[in-house]
Amino acid sequence: MRRIPFSYALASLLVLALVIWLAFGNFQRFQTTPPDAPPRSQAGPRVEVIEQQSTPFIPQQIIQGQLTAERETTLRANLAGFVAEKPVAQGSRVQAGDTLLVLDNDALPEQLQQARDELAVAEAEYSGARNLRQRELISQPELLRLQSALSASAASVAQLQKQLNDSRPTAPFDGVLDRVQVEVGDLLQPGEEWAQLVDDRRLKGAAWVSQQQVGDLTEGLPVTARLLNGDHLEGELTFISHRAEEATRTFYIEATLDNPAGKRLAGASAELTIILPPRQVHTLSPALLSLNSEGQLAVKHLDANDQVQQTAVQLVSADIQRAYVTGLPDPLRLITLGAGIVAIGETVSPVPAQSQMTTQEPNSHSTAQDSVHAPAD
């Protein structure tokens, strides 16, 4: 009998083993009940979340302005004449009614006295004529002539009195006599400027604000003026223009500032800080702001059911480190990591953030370099 080669026998055994393995390994698909499905994870995407409350915040508007005296006027001559005296030195403080300059009056006091005497005569003649007219001893035209003479005498007295007053101009209000431009012996003509009177006990801070800023302003808001040397003046907003300037579309505003020390500041520039009413805000990183479908600034957060919500916000203030916004629920479950990979309405797995955001705590000592708005304590 012929023997089967060993290699053939080995190959046959391997084929037989493969057939048996395939047959028994495929029995699973003939089972009457399906196998148990592998457990599916019920948790959604993981996001980092912090919970925060809104905090009080005091917005500010910082604008560049110019300081002017509350009252100032240019003194001009009302009468032609030579300067006879300068009773007040340049730079001196004066009271309302003080004589500031004396012009040569050309015997105006004597002329005024003569006119007053003539007025007294005219009054006496008119008084006697009225008694005579009551008894019909003089005619009505004669009485009217005497009345006209009386009026002319009174007008002459008033005119000479005004000329005498104009020859001795007085201060219309308390202030500092500034920039006196005449010397004794100079000839002044009517309308010629000879000095300025400045009342700088209170100052006006004038500035221009944009259309976006003017809506938040109301008269009476506190204002702080920071000077170039670092000093500060306190006051309040006293005027807001009702019409924008056509060329720049900006609105003119004025703030009244106290200057009790009488510092020489009129005409100088200053930085005006307007303190707006306090508001409740949420503080977050500017990187967490996004745009919603309507192009508004919005923030993603979680509701009580761990579903992603997106709420439009109003930006109150912002810098490179933090943003102050309103319009969010309070308290807020803010998504700090993973907001970009989750959709609105999706259920997620919140994970408490290991560290809070690196935002500066609100304080009242923020500088203009940190933020143009100062939070409240």
Side-chain angles (χ1 to χ4, degrees):
M1 183 175 179
R2 188 177 178 182
R3 298 182 61 183
I4 299 175
F6 176 76
S7 59
Y8 288 173
L10 180 59
S12 299
L13 289 174
L14 291 176
V15 171
L16 179 61
L18 179 61
V19 170
I20 294 173
W21 181 80
L22 290 175
F24 284 95
N26 204 28
F27 284 165
Q28 183 68 27
R29 68 187 183 93
F30 296 106
Q31 293 181 358
T32 57
T33 59
D36 294 334
R40 298 178 57 187
S41 175
Q42 300 297 326
R46 291 159 54 97
V47 295
E48 283 193 0
V49 175
I50 62 170
E51 295 188 7
Q52 63 173 217
Q53 300 278 347
S54 64
T55 56
F57 181 77
I58 303 178
Q60 300 177 359
Q61 286 189 14
I62 298 181
I63 51 180
Q64 296 298 320
Q66 183 174 359
L67 302 180
T68 60
E70 183 183 33
R71 292 187 300 179
E72 59 180 295
T73 186
T74 299
L75 301 176
R76 300 179 183 275
N78 292 328
L79 180 72
F82 291 95
V83 177
E85 297 180 31
K86 293 173 57 179
V88 179
Q90 178 175 260
S92 300
R93 289 196 172 271
V94 297
Q95 303 293 324
D98 289 351
T99 300
L100 305 180
L101 196 69
V102 176
L103 300 180
D104 184 7
N105 51 38
D106 289 334
L108 278 175
E110 291 77 8
Q111 296 178 23
L112 177 60
Q113 184 60 45
Q114 180 184 358
R116 287 174 176 170
D117 294 341
E118 293 176 354
L119 175 61
V121 173
E123 288 175 343
E125 290 179 347
Y126 179 68
S127 177
R130 289 181 60 185
N131 293 332
L132 294 175
R133 178 58 186 166
Q134 290 177 356
R135 291 181 290 173
E136 297 185 354
L137 297 177
I138 62 172
S139 64
Q140 181 68 22
E142 180 64 17
L143 178 64
L144 294 177
R145 184 188 65 78
L146 293 174
Q147 183 178 6
S148 175
L150 174 61
S151 299
S153 297
S156 177
V157 170
Q159 183 178 8
L160 289 171
Q161 182 64 59
K162 182 179 183 305
Q163 291 180 6
L164 182 61
N165 293 340
D166 290 341
S167 69
R168 302 175 65 88
T170 59
F173 51 80
D174 297 351
V176 177
L177 186 62
D178 195 30
R179 296 176 57 187
V180 178
Q181 304 173 25
V182 294
E183 295 295 339
V184 175
D186 288 347
L187 174 63
L188 283 178
Q189 297 294 338
E192 184 178 352
E193 175 183 345
W194 61 271
Q196 288 185 336
L197 184 64
V198 179
D199 180 8
D200 58 356
R201 293 172 301 176
R202 303 185 74 184
L203 300 173
K204 289 190 298 185
W208 297 84
V209 298
S210 66
Q211 302 176 69
Q212 293 80 7
Q213 294 175 305
V214 73
D216 296 330
L217 301 181
T218 56
E219 295 178 356
L221 290 176
V223 177
T224 300
R226 186 171 69 89
L227 311 177
L228 295 180
N229 61 359
D231 291 343
H232 293 79
L233 298 177
E234 303 297 331
E236 66 177 19
L237 191 62
T238 53
F239 175 75
I240 305 172
S241 175
H242 288 263
R243 186 178 186 278
E245 201 274 332
E246 293 184 0
T248 60
R249 302 301 179 188
T250 54
F251 289 81
Y252 176 76
I253 65 171
E254 279 185 4
T256 301
L257 306 166
D258 293 325
N259 183 28
K263 297 180 180 179
R264 294 176 174 84
L265 299 173
S269 59
E271 183 182 79
L272 304 180
T273 301
I274 304 174
I275 313 299
L276 302 179
R279 304 180 67 177
Q280 290 294 122
V281 300
H282 284 278
T283 306
L284 47 87
S285 169
L288 300 180
L289 297 173
S290 60
L291 294 178
N292 60 16
S293 58
E294 298 178 356
Q296 301 171 323
L297 284 177
V299 172
K300 284 185 177 181
H301 57 93
L302 298 184
D303 60 13
N305 299 321
D306 294 338
Q307 290 185 335
V308 179
Q309 304 294 329
Q310 187 179 46
T311 302
V313 298
Q314 180 183 359
L315 184 64
V316 177
S317 174
D319 54 33
I320 60 175
Q321 295 181 347
R322 58 201 177 276
Y324 304 100
V325 299
T326 60
L328 292 172
D330 194 17
L332 173 69
R333 301 177 68 197
L334 178 65
I335 302 176
T336 59
L337 185 62
I341 62 174
V342 294
I344 301 174
E346 183 177 1
T347 301
V348 299
S349 297
V351 177
Q354 295 181 356
S355 60
Q356 299 292 325
M357 292 184 302
T358 57
T359 58
Q360 180 176 334
E361 289 296 327
N363 60 81
S364 60
H365 303 288
S366 297
T367 63
Q369 294 179 349
D370 293 334
S371 173
V372 297
H373 303 272
D377 287 333

